[in-house]
Amino acid sequence: MVDADQYIKNLEAAHLLREPVIKEAIRQLQLTPGSCGLDVGCGIGLYTLLLAEEVGPAGKVTGLDTDPRLIEYAERLAVESGLTERLSFINGDAAELPFADNTFAWAGSMDCIGYMPHEPVPLLRELARVVKPGGTVFLLIWSSQKLLPGYPMLEARLNATPSGIAPFDQTMNPEDHFMRALGWFRQAGLMEPIARTFVRDIIPPLDLGTLKALTELLQMRWGGAGAEVAREDWMTYRRLVDPASPEIILNPLDYYAFFTYSLFCGRC
């Protein structure tokens, strides 16, 4: 990670937009109150906090990440949230989880497995290993967006860049794309795999917090695509998303956008 501070800043800002749709997806999991679970690739713990809220005061959620800087930040957020009794964070590798078999009632990964440079099926098998029989394994992944209304060709070109389709690239097998995750669950031996997509609508008027969050989200999505599109397209994009631009697309009252998260889950 080149700039951990900037990465954390982006995550926190964009969380204002993501939180409602993540909460909706978590509710769909119907996690048992008081249960113990694992959040793999927890980052700074924003989603881990939501999982802890869902399982209630008797529950326990462990967040795991490879980056100690993110773990340290997650621990601070846990203290600020008042949920330290329900949360713990450790450094660890998703490919070799430091837990015994059948440790948790459920385990999942949000915006991590499916993006990591590893074969997904072994990672799912490793998640399933630490979950008790009958427990749930899940993945929750950002799956689509329409953020530049009125500019479909520009958005299509941005989406077609390596930044836009990451982590997928043309050298990967189609079966490794995260939208093929139902197949991963079956190959990993998980039962009754299901998928469902959740939508976050963005409708004006937008308050200052939402404007800032959406600006950060646009930066996270396509901010690295400048060298991958025509200069004219990049200049148009910058005019549309720069907060100082008189042409910023976020201000008009006819602005409407959405993004989706897709949930994949199965039973051990």
Side-chain angles (χ1 to χ4, degrees):
M1 187 180 299
V2 176
D3 188 342
D5 290 339
Q6 184 60 47
Y7 180 69
I8 289 169
K9 177 185 174 184
N10 291 344
L11 286 176
E12 286 202 304
H15 187 62
L16 177 68
L17 287 175
R18 299 183 193 219
E19 184 177 6
V21 72
I22 299 297
K23 281 185 172 181
E24 185 181 0
I26 288 174
R27 285 193 293 269
Q28 176 68 25
L29 290 168
Q30 299 182 332
L31 302 178
T32 302
S35 61
C36 296
L38 174 66
D39 178 16
V40 170
C42 66
I44 62 173
L46 293 169
Y47 299 165
T48 323
L49 292 174
L50 299 182
L51 290 164
E53 291 174 356
E54 186 70 12
V55 297
K60 183 77 172 181
V61 183
T62 300
L64 177 142
D65 202 277
T66 59
D67 193 321
R69 295 167 295 181
L70 302 186
I71 291 294
E72 181 181 355
Y73 199 87
E75 290 172 338
R76 292 205 299 269
L77 285 182
V79 172
E80 293 171 6
S81 72
L83 297 177
T84 53
E85 296 295 322
R86 308 184 203 177
L87 290 163
S88 62
F89 294 95
I90 66 169
N91 289 113
D93 185 352
E96 193 172 348
L97 296 173
F99 307 105
D101 296 358
N102 307 327
T103 298
F104 300 100
W106 51 268
S109 174
M110 298 187 270
D111 284 338
C112 181
I113 293 178
Y115 287 90
M116 297 172 65
H118 297 286
E119 289 292 324
V121 174
L123 296 179
L124 273 180
R125 289 189 180 123
E126 184 65 358
L127 282 184
R129 179 186 66 78
V130 302
V131 172
K132 299 173 183 178
T136 299
V137 173
F138 68 90
L139 302 180
L140 184 62
I141 304 173
W142 172 290
S143 52
S144 73
Q145 71 282 313
K146 291 289 185 182
L147 299 177
L148 300 176
Y151 295 85
M153 293 299 294
L154 174 61
E155 189 159 4
R157 284 192 281 269
L158 289 166
N159 283 336
T161 65
S163 295
I165 63 172
F168 192 76
D169 65 57
Q170 294 182 351
T171 68
M172 292 173 63
N173 293 322
E175 293 79 8
D176 289 338
H177 189 268
F178 58 76
M179 293 301 287
R180 304 287 288 270
L182 284 176
W184 305 350
F185 276 72
R186 294 188 179 98
Q187 291 177 58
L190 291 156
M191 299 180 290
E192 302 174 8
I194 63 169
R196 182 178 172 187
T197 294
F198 301 83
V199 181
R200 173 65 160 103
D201 296 297
I202 305 168
I203 303 171
L206 307 179
D207 59 38
L208 290 178
T210 302
L211 281 169
K212 180 180 178 182
L214 190 50
T215 300
E216 294 289 350
L217 190 60
L218 287 163
Q219 174 64 26
M220 291 173 70
R221 191 69 191 94
W222 296 306
E228 301 162 356
V229 295
R231 184 175 184 277
E232 181 180 355
D233 283 336
W234 187 244
M235 295 301 293
T236 300
Y237 171 70
R238 295 307 311 163
R239 288 198 303 273
L240 294 175
V241 303
D242 186 346
S245 170
E247 299 178 46
I248 185 169
I249 196 172
L250 308 181
N251 287 337
L253 290 178
D254 64 354
Y255 180 81
Y256 167 69
F258 68 85
F259 58 86
T260 66
Y261 265 87
S262 294
L263 174 69
F264 301 87
C265 62
R267 299 286 179 184
C268 290

